[in-house]
Amino acid sequence: MSLLVVGSIALDSVETPTAVREDVLGGSAVFFSYAASYFSPVRLVGVVGEDWPAEHTKLLADRGIDTSGLQVVRGAETFRWRGKYLPNMNDRETLEVHLNVFGEFDPVLPEAYKRCEFLFLANGSPTLQMKVLDQLPGARLRVADTMDLWIKTQHDELMQLLKRIDGLVMNDSEAKLLTEDENLVRAGHKIRAMGPKFVVIKKGEHGAMFFSEHETYVMPGYPTPDVVDPTGAGDSFAGGMMGYLAERGDFEPKTLKEALAYGTIVASFNVEDFSLDRMRQIEREDLEQRMSDYRRMLSF
Amino acid sequence: MSLLVVGSIALDSVETPTAVREDVLGGSAVFFSYAASYFSPVRLVGVVGEDWPAEHTKLLADRGIDTSGLQVVRGAETFRWRGKYLPNMNDRETLEVHLNVFGEFDPVLPEAYKRCEFLFLANGSPTLQMKVLDQLPGARLRVADTMDLWIKTQHDELMQLLKRIDGLVMNDSEAKLLTEDENLVRAGHKIRAMGPKFVVIKKGEHGAMFFSEHETYVMPGYPTPDVVDPTGAGDSFAGGMMGYLAERGDFEPKTLKEALAYGTIVASFNVEDFSLDRMRQIEREDLEQRMSDYRRMLSF
């Protein structure tokens, strides 16, 4: 099944306790689509400025990602983000955000994209996310991410969005903010009651929790000693998850659980280097090896 | 197999965002032994003052816990702790500590205890813990807990202790403190290199990690919506773990992993009410039911 992702495309500057990288390839839709590309064809919708290096588009295209939905705006600059990780490598500070072209982004889907059946709405306002939903009335599975900014500034629009999607993926702190509940089990079910059939709460290094009408479960993070840069972990998690669902072509409870596990595994590789650098070194086979290790870890 | 625990016995005062309890039964050895009693006979060594309510001893004895190692010191008071949980119910502040009789505790094992093969050294200084080890040269499995206070004030003694035990159980923040490493996977293996054959790092609501020469794994916390009071979660985890090992009479890798899962399950009940109140309502059968739910949760 084909998978469509709409979200941010960025040039990230990342500071960790031991290194700094300037203007490296990043953005939610980029991490997502690269991670998903191990499993299924991906179609990308996003916007960049004139400063966008063509080699980045080539890198994505070489993974089989369809970039015909990538808008390049002349005379404008690409979205930039600068962040700094604390020594625990889990908490971070945003130092600078320049929305640039992403601030005016109006997602227009190419005709060929409109038959996509699996849709992921990555980082973007609920208003923007709903514009995409309007163009894809036939989607079989619609999943969105959201973040603190939209919970605070577009609460009503977010509530409308939640009634129109099948699944929501978000961070633990955002789930607490949205529900004003500090217990994640209660928070997960409260969000489900707002509309989506299932909710996935990402807990960073501690893994992810899943909530549906009949199921509540936790998947731990894969324990890696080599955390170099956590940027994009949540997006690569979502990419692995949605990519696997699209590959399988269904979203039955069993498939969803396997999808969360694949998301966990892809994210565990992603954090092992800056930008897409670690993912660029691996193949599906590496994911499968770590996956069987993960399965063994969890069986007793 | 019989299991021996040496540790603190306390009267706790606990403040949560919604309730307060004064002078309720607590202490590391109490939570531990109650949790372990679902699985195996337990022998308790600890000290209390003249203010100790006899009904507490009866409560433990009624669970089959051997309290003949409980010293009652006339004219002195029992160890008291007062703590306050933050709204997230995971972080807490210690408001008051009165060591009282525990400050002078000199553990003397009754003769009948000296044949115990499974030993757990709960909260106490490394010096005190080594005094117990000296009295039990024939123990087959020696596991200890430790905490930030001892890492800071008895570092050398702790290093000696680590060379004399088989397993160490500690919190994530303490593992980071001891190793000066913020990555728990690296921290776990660094601690193992200090002596113990295996290390268990407890992550509160996020579960626990296990490290041995050939294995590294994570077990997530059981997702409960009803967290009322986390006091004793780590001790009841250790109690469930050690109780199961003593029941099985071995500590093979497979048994250890099952033991960590049982520890997780007992702890998940313990946090559902103050003091031992939730554990007092359940039987082994309740643990088994939640355990099969947990197994199902982790299988995919």
Side-chain angles (χ1 to χ4, degrees):
Chain A
M1 295 286 158
S2 61
L3 170 62
L4 172 63
V5 58
V6 184
S8 60
I9 298 179
L11 296 173
D12 288 340
S13 295
V14 180
E15 304 179 13
T16 73
T18 53
V20 176
R21 288 291 183 282
E22 302 284 344
D23 286 339
V24 294
L25 177 56
S28 59
V30 169
F31 285 109
F32 178 96
S33 53
Y34 206 95
S37 73
Y38 294 103
F39 304 93
S40 78
V42 184
R43 290 170 159 173
L44 173 69
V45 174
V47 65
V48 294
E50 204 173 318
D51 55 347
W52 177 250
E55 74 210 46
H56 290 344
T57 305
K58 184 173 181 309
L59 173 68
L60 300 174
D62 285 350
R63 278 291 313 170
I65 297 163
D66 184 341
T67 58
S68 56
L70 183 67
Q71 304 169 24
V72 183
V73 180
R74 297 288 149 212
E77 285 192 70
T78 301
F79 175 32
R80 275 178 169 73
W81 174 81
R82 172 178 287 269
K84 179 181 178 166
Y85 287 89
L86 304 188
N88 68 14
M89 295 300 277
N90 211 24
D91 299 314
R92 75 182 181 195
E93 262 176 80
T94 291
L95 301 176
E96 289 175 43
V97 176
H98 303 284
L99 287 179
N100 298 330
V101 288
F102 191 59
E104 307 294 311
F105 180 37
D106 186 18
V108 177
L109 271 48
E111 269 315 306
Y113 280 29
K114 293 188 179 172
R115 288 182 303 274
C116 274
E117 296 188 88
F118 287 69
L119 168 66
F120 189 74
L121 300 163
N123 181 22
S125 73
T127 304
L128 183 149
Q129 292 173 321
M130 285 191 283
K131 276 190 187 174
V132 177
L133 284 180
D134 291 340
Q135 298 173 64
L136 217 71
R140 282 174 57 209
L141 182 71
R142 291 150 300 206
V143 181
D145 198 340
T146 195
M147 53 186 290
D148 49 359
L149 178 66
W150 314 122
I151 295 170
K152 288 175 189 161
T153 63
Q154 289 206 9
H155 192 272
D156 292 352
E157 293 83 352
L158 178 59
M159 289 299 120
Q160 289 171 38
L161 174 81
L162 292 183
K163 294 195 185 354
R164 298 181 57 187
I165 57 177
D166 303 291
L168 182 71
V169 175
M170 72 200 311
N171 288 336
D172 45 4
S173 60
E174 293 157 353
K176 291 177 181 181
L177 178 69
L178 179 58
T179 58
E180 296 178 337
D181 196 322
E182 289 283 335
N183 181 289
L184 290 176
V185 184
R186 289 196 303 259
H189 286 293
K190 281 183 185 176
I191 297 168
R192 210 175 49 73
M194 295 171 187
K197 290 185 204 66
F198 69 86
V199 173
V200 177
I201 298 180
K202 298 174 289 182
K203 305 196 296 171
E205 64 172 309
H206 302 302
M209 304 179 83
F210 178 90
F211 305 90
S212 68
E213 189 183 351
H214 300 294
E215 281 191 303
T216 302
Y217 58 78
V218 193
M219 314 221 78
Y222 181 87
T224 173
D226 308 309
V227 181
V228 173
D229 172 18
T231 309
D235 301 308
S236 56
F237 168 86
M241 178 184 106
M242 291 294 294
Y244 181 72
L245 293 175
E247 176 183 53
R248 291 289 305 273
D250 77 78
F251 34 91
E252 294 302 309
K254 183 176 178 305
T255 317
L256 271 164
K257 195 185 260 191
E258 290 164 355
L260 258 78
Y262 274 109
T264 300
I265 296 306
V266 183
S268 77
F269 277 108
N270 183 61
V271 301
E272 292 178 348
D273 207 341
F274 288 93
S275 185
L276 304 183
D277 293 359
R278 186 71 179 107
M279 286 203 284
R280 289 176 67 175
Q281 297 172 332
I282 61 166
E283 292 299 332
R284 175 70 176 258
E285 176 54 26
D286 301 285
L287 296 177
E288 295 301 340
Q289 269 182 28
R290 191 170 281 191
M291 179 63 132
S292 55
D293 193 31
Y294 187 63
R295 276 184 198 272
R296 196 166 46 239
M297 219 181 79
L298 295 181
S299 66
F300 61 90
Chain B
M1 296 286 158
S2 61
L3 170 63
L4 173 62
V5 58
V6 184
S8 60
I9 299 180
L11 296 174
D12 288 341
S13 295
V14 180
E15 304 179 15
T16 72
T18 53
V20 177
R21 287 291 183 283
E22 302 284 343
D23 286 340
V24 295
L25 176 56
S28 60
V30 169
F31 285 110
F32 179 96
S33 53
Y34 206 94
S37 72
Y38 294 103
F39 304 94
S40 79
V42 184
R43 289 170 159 172
L44 173 70
V45 174
V47 64
V48 295
E50 205 174 316
D51 55 347
W52 176 251
E55 75 209 48
H56 289 344
T57 306
K58 185 173 181 308
L59 173 69
L60 300 173
D62 285 351
R63 278 291 312 171
I65 297 163
D66 185 340
T67 58
S68 58
L70 183 69
Q71 304 170 24
V72 183
V73 180
R74 297 288 150 213
E77 285 192 71
T78 302
F79 175 31
R80 276 179 168 72
W81 175 81
R82 174 179 284 271
K84 180 180 177 166
Y85 287 88
L86 304 188
N88 69 13
M89 295 299 277
N90 211 25
D91 300 314
R92 74 183 181 195
E93 263 177 80
T94 291
L95 301 176
E96 289 176 42
V97 176
H98 303 285
L99 287 179
N100 298 330
V101 289
F102 191 59
E104 307 294 312
F105 181 37
D106 186 18
V108 178
L109 271 47
E111 268 316 306
Y113 281 29
K114 294 187 178 171
R115 289 183 301 276
C116 274
E117 296 187 90
F118 286 69
L119 169 65
F120 189 74
L121 300 164
N123 181 21
S125 74
T127 304
L128 184 149
Q129 292 174 320
M130 284 190 283
K131 277 190 185 173
V132 177
L133 284 180
D134 291 340
Q135 298 173 62
L136 216 70
R140 283 174 56 210
L141 182 70
R142 293 150 299 207
V143 181
D145 198 341
T146 195
M147 54 186 290
D148 48 357
L149 178 65
W150 314 122
I151 296 170
K152 288 174 190 161
T153 64
Q154 288 205 8
H155 192 270
D156 292 353
E157 293 84 351
L158 178 59
M159 289 298 120
Q160 288 171 40
L161 174 80
L162 293 183
K163 294 195 186 352
R164 298 180 57 187
I165 56 177
D166 304 291
L168 182 70
V169 175
M170 71 200 311
N171 289 336
D172 45 4
S173 60
E174 293 157 354
K176 291 177 181 181
L177 179 68
L178 179 59
T179 58
E180 296 178 336
D181 195 322
E182 290 282 336
N183 180 289
L184 289 174
V185 183
R186 289 196 303 258
H189 287 294
K190 281 184 184 175
I191 297 167
R192 211 175 50 72
M194 296 172 185
K197 289 185 205 66
F198 68 86
V199 174
V200 177
I201 297 181
K202 299 174 288 182
K203 305 196 296 172
E205 63 171 311
H206 301 302
M209 301 179 85
F210 178 90
F211 305 90
S212 68
E213 188 183 351
H214 300 294
E215 279 190 305
T216 302
Y217 57 78
V218 192
M219 314 221 76
Y222 180 87
T224 172
D226 307 310
V227 180
V228 172
D229 172 18
T231 309
D235 302 309
S236 56
F237 168 86
M241 178 186 106
M242 291 294 293
Y244 181 73
L245 293 175
E247 177 182 52
R248 290 291 304 274
D250 76 77
F251 34 91
E252 295 301 310
K254 184 177 176 304
T255 318
L256 271 165
K257 195 184 262 192
E258 290 163 355
L260 257 77
Y262 274 109
T264 300
I265 296 305
V266 183
S268 78
F269 277 108
N270 183 61
V271 301
E272 292 179 348
D273 207 343
F274 287 94
S275 185
L276 305 182
D277 293 359
R278 185 71 178 106
M279 286 203 284
R280 290 176 66 175
Q281 297 173 333
I282 61 166
E283 293 299 333
R284 175 71 177 257
E285 176 55 26
D286 300 287
L287 296 177
E288 295 301 340
Q289 268 182 29
R290 192 171 281 191
M291 180 62 132
S292 54
D293 193 31
Y294 187 64
R295 276 185 197 273
R296 195 165 45 238
M297 217 180 80
L298 295 181
S299 66
F300 60 90

